[in-house]
Amino acid sequence: MSITVLRPGLLTTVQDSGRTGHAGAGVGRSGPLDDVAARLANALVGNAATAALLEITLAGPRLRFAAAATLALTGGAVDARLDDRPAATWRPLAVAAGEVLDLGAVRLGARAYLAVAGGLAVERVLGSAATDLNAGLGPFGGRALAAGDVLALGDARPLRIDPRWSLDPQPWFDPRSGQPIRLVRGRHWDALTDAAQTALLAAEWRIAAASNRVGFRLDGPPLALRAPLELVSEPVAPGTLQLPPGGQPIALMAEHPTTGGYPRAGQVAGVDIARLAQLRPGDRLHLQEIAIDEAQARYLWRERQLAALIAAIGERLRT
């Protein structure tokens, strides 16, 4: 069982839950930018949350299935056709042997996720199938998919698929909500000038064209420090909002380095990182301060809701 890549799309990579346990050696986690959509895609085909799947950015691939399979598409709204028929998203979908899945533009949001029952049986590097484009780690030499690549599939368990139901994308995917991205003050917050502190939370920011899986650059008013800082590099995490010398903040994303030496203006609340990941270059956003206790409480509530939903999906798929 395999999938042949007929057209790779703009940037299609293999991801899993990430490469953990190697930060001490300078190896980052990588993994999906919108990990919520990725987990739900895997859940909809009966996979473990750690199974390898595809992350599709802005424009999708064209794929031929050598054998019958079950797939699910989540995340950004993508034009999907199966042998030239409209293909449903946010639900399990049966594919016959020889059929071609053609994914066009991601019309809403920035990233879609394609999971196949059994998961992608690809090379694992340091225990993970996550592609780290910056480090060149992962399947296919750590690069994005190219035409002619063949993706083997793992063994899938039997699934009970009811065509009458699908998953409501909300609240897991809602890029039109207009809600601000919540931000906890960083440890160098007090090093920002009063004007910079005000601007960070009041200004309208845009996702810069130079953004990528490493970090989202935010275009807006330049932020200044009260005095230059010389810092020792320290561990960073997805959502860390660094302030480089140019004064334009960078929100680190899944492929971030393990350490960073720029001042930390803030930390994007974990509950909002998936929503940030679905913004595309040119999209506007506002930042809103949130206390760390509230950010942690909201994240834990989201994780409990997500775990309950994934368990319910598992029951629906059980034969």
Side-chain angles (χ1 to χ4, degrees):
M1 295 174 61
S2 64
I3 302 171
T4 299
V5 179
L6 304 178
R7 186 191 67 229
L10 182 63
L11 180 67
T12 304
T13 60
V14 177
Q15 299 295 339
D16 65 6
S17 54
R19 189 168 287 105
T20 58
H22 303 286
V27 178
R29 179 168 182 160
S30 193
L33 266 68
D34 182 348
D35 73 306
V36 173
R39 280 186 278 172
L40 288 172
N42 269 326
L44 285 168
V45 292
N47 289 348
T50 55
L53 77 173
L54 295 181
E55 179 179 89
I56 295 153
T57 303
L58 296 179
R62 192 165 189 258
L63 308 167
R64 177 186 291 124
F65 287 74
T70 303
L71 63 83
L73 279 159
T74 64
V78 61
D79 291 323
R81 301 189 72 81
L82 187 60
D83 261 12
D84 216 25
R85 308 183 308 275
T89 60
W90 292 88
R91 53 152 299 175
L93 183 66
V95 180
E99 286 193 313
V100 172
L101 178 68
D102 199 347
L103 302 178
V106 180
R107 293 179 286 100
L108 189 59
R111 292 169 180 82
Y113 292 86
L114 170 61
V116 183
L120 303 177
V122 295
E123 176 191 10
R124 292 180 180 269
V125 178
L126 297 176
S128 170
T131 301
D132 186 327
L133 296 167
N134 200 44
L137 287 177
F140 302 104
R143 62 164 170 78
L145 293 188
D149 286 342
V150 177
L151 299 158
L153 300 180
D155 294 331
R157 64 179 177 85
L159 300 174
R160 179 166 57 91
I161 299 177
D162 184 344
R164 296 171 298 180
W165 72 275
S166 63
L167 191 62
D168 185 349
Q170 293 189 21
W172 316 107
F173 172 71
D174 189 12
R176 285 179 171 166
S177 71
Q179 295 298 311
I181 300 295
R182 288 162 288 197
L183 186 78
V184 177
R185 291 187 184 191
R187 62 174 298 188
H188 300 115
W189 172 267
D190 290 339
L192 273 64
T193 64
D194 292 344
Q197 292 175 357
T198 300
L200 183 58
L201 299 174
E204 180 180 80
W205 299 94
R206 283 178 181 265
I207 304 294
S211 300
N212 54 30
R213 283 180 41 83
V214 176
F216 284 8
R217 295 177 180 273
L218 304 185
D219 280 342
L223 306 180
L225 300 173
R226 299 180 191 278
L229 286 176
E230 291 190 14
L231 302 173
V232 175
S233 290
E234 297 177 344
V236 290
T240 299
L241 193 72
Q242 292 193 313
L243 187 62
Q248 299 294 332
I250 301 173
L252 298 180
M253 302 302 283
E255 214 172 282
H256 66 82
T258 56
T259 61
Y262 293 136
R264 301 160 186 232
Q267 177 69 40
V268 175
V271 71
D272 282 350
I273 290 178
R275 207 155 49 82
L276 177 63
Q278 288 293 353
L279 298 181
R280 50 204 299 161
D283 280 352
R284 303 175 183 183
L285 72 149
H286 286 89
L287 298 170
Q288 180 184 68
E289 185 177 2
I290 187 173
I292 189 168
D293 288 350
E294 184 180 357
Q296 290 173 335
R298 287 179 178 272
Y299 177 81
L300 292 173
W301 182 86
R302 196 275 308 275
E303 287 299 297
R304 287 194 291 270
Q305 298 298 310
L306 189 57
L309 176 60
I310 288 173
I313 293 171
E315 285 300 315
R316 278 186 174 270
L317 296 175
R318 202 178 304 281
T319 56

